[in-house]
């Protein structure tokens, strides 16, 4: 049991480091001095930002993710509210059980008169993971009039889904909405690939050149975060 606690503690610290991108030496400290390094990291980097209860829950969920689901199932059984049902759906989504996540998102969406943009967004993500593109398209079209839809990741998935069902012109219209400078690098790379796939080399080259130019002005953390994307952009540019 002690061994698993240490592994869970290390996993949480590395996860926290990855999310917050603190100094790189912390990774070595956490890995090579598991107990001391993790405790030092928690004291100096976490405790001033997160409360102890949240930390404990996160570590338990890393070690035993099904415990969180069992707890949420119990909450829904006791009180089937919109938020409890949504939390349960999110938990299944987080472990990649998209079928059960969809079942719970749909129940939350259908049973409660709440603002359901978030629920529909998560349904779009879930159906996309299952390659059910017609479902993605139908859901996206039900929220595309919302201001937050424009330039969003769900709009990107909408565009990709349109392409997958052969609606190429409609797909291009949607995908071009995510082409915003100094953001959406991975999605814009996919848009460039879309142009190449559909014989629009000039558009692809222009977009790839823009992304490459922007990459020269990225902060150091962003260059690390998007390193694979930048490398692929450079490779595609050199082939054009």
């Amino acid at each position: 049991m002690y061994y698993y606690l240490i592994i869970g503690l290390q996993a949480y610290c590395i996860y926290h480091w990855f999310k917050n991108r603190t100094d790189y030496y912390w990774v070595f400290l956490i890995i090579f001095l598991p107990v001391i390094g993790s405790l030092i990291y928690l004291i100096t980097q976490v405790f001033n930002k997160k409360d102890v209860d949240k930390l404990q829950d996160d570590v338990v969920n890393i070690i035993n993710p099904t415990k969180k689901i069992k707890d949420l199932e119990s909450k829904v059984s006791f009180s089937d509210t919109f938020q409890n049902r949504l939390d349960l759906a999110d938990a299944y989504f987080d472990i990649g059980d998209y079928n059960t996540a969809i079942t719970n998102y749909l129940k939350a969406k259908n049973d409660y008169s709440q603002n359901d943009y978030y629920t529909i967004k998560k349904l779009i993500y879930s159906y996309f993971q299952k390659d059910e593109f017609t479902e993605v398209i139908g859901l996206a079209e039900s929220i595309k009039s919302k201001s937050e839809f424009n330039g969003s990741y769900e709009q990107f998935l909408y565009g990709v889904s349109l392409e997958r069902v052969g609606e190429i012109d409609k797909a291009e219209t949607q995908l071009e909405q995510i082409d915003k400078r100094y953001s959406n690098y991975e999605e814009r790379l996919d848009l460039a690939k879309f142009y190449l796939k559909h014989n629009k080399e000039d558009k692809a080259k222009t977009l790839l050149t823009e992304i490459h130019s922007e990459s020269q002005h990225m902060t150091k953390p962003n260059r690390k975060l998007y390193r694979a994307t930048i490398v692929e952009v450079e490779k595609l540019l050199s082939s054009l």
Side-chain angles (χ1 to χ4, degrees):
M1 183 62 182
Y2 179 69
Y3 171 78
Y4 291 111
L5 286 174
I6 294 174
I7 295 297
L9 187 62
Q10 280 183 294
Y12 176 81
C13 290
I14 290 175
Y15 170 74
H16 185 277
W17 172 86
F18 182 81
K19 283 185 68 178
N20 293 276
R21 296 291 179 175
T22 52
D23 293 326
Y24 197 79
Y25 64 77
W26 282 114
V27 176
F28 295 100
L29 191 66
I30 294 164
I31 292 174
F32 294 110
L33 294 173
V35 178
I36 296 174
S38 296
L39 288 175
I40 293 173
Y41 182 85
L42 289 174
I43 292 168
T44 61
Q45 304 297 313
V46 178
F47 282 169
N48 60 330
K49 301 173 185 175
K50 307 283 185 180
D51 59 46
V52 176
D53 289 339
K54 180 64 166 61
L55 170 63
Q56 182 178 349
D57 288 342
D58 285 347
V59 171
V60 169
N61 290 333
I62 289 169
I63 297 172
N64 183 16
T66 59
K67 181 183 183 302
K68 179 179 181 180
I69 288 175
K70 288 178 181 177
D71 290 344
L72 290 170
E73 290 277 13
S74 296
K75 286 182 70 175
V76 168
S77 296
F78 178 75
S79 178
D80 194 354
T81 65
F82 175 80
Q83 191 58 54
N84 285 348
R85 180 67 65 175
L86 204 59
D87 290 342
L88 179 60
D90 284 344
Y92 278 113
F93 181 91
D94 289 342
I95 65 169
D97 186 348
Y98 300 111
N99 286 325
T100 311
I102 287 169
T103 297
N104 283 283
Y105 284 130
L106 287 174
K107 189 166 180 58
K109 177 177 177 293
N110 294 332
D111 287 0
Y112 304 99
S113 57
Q114 302 279 341
N115 182 343
D116 60 357
Y117 185 93
Y118 175 83
T119 310
I120 294 174
K121 176 175 73 172
K122 298 295 285 201
L123 279 167
I124 288 171
Y125 297 172
S126 300
Y127 279 120
F128 188 84
Q129 292 295 329
K130 289 163 50 62
D131 293 340
E132 296 188 22
F133 304 117
T134 301
E135 294 288 350
V136 172
I137 292 167
L139 287 162
E141 289 179 348
S142 74
I143 58 171
K144 68 179 183 180
S145 62
K146 304 286 187 181
S147 59
E148 56 263 52
F149 184 79
N150 187 44
S152 65
Y153 188 64
E154 45 270 29
Q155 184 172 29
F156 170 73
L157 296 182
Y158 176 41
V160 173
S161 297
L162 286 167
E163 183 194 17
R164 299 288 174 84
V165 301
E167 298 280 359
I168 307 304
D169 291 339
K170 289 182 180 179
E172 183 173 351
T173 298
Q174 297 302 319
L175 291 173
E176 287 181 339
Q177 300 305 306
I178 55 87
D179 183 13
K180 299 182 184 297
R181 291 180 64 82
Y182 296 101
S183 63
N184 300 336
Y185 296 109
E186 294 171 354
E187 291 82 3
R188 290 164 72 201
L189 171 59
D190 283 338
L191 174 57
K193 291 177 181 177
F194 173 91
Y195 286 143
L196 289 172
K197 182 178 177 182
H198 298 288
N199 303 313
K200 298 187 177 184
E201 188 173 300
D202 289 343
K203 281 190 170 185
K205 188 171 184 178
T206 298
L207 179 53
L208 290 168
T209 302
E210 286 178 359
I211 298 172
H212 181 263
S213 175
E214 291 167 25
S215 73
Q216 306 306 305
H217 305 287
M218 282 182 181
T219 62
K220 191 174 181 181
N222 273 350
R223 282 194 67 82
K224 287 182 180 179
L225 183 62
Y226 296 109
R227 184 174 178 229
T229 301
I230 296 168
V231 168
E232 192 167 359
V233 165
E234 291 172 346
K235 182 187 291 186
L236 285 173
L237 268 176
S238 66
S239 69
L240 295 176

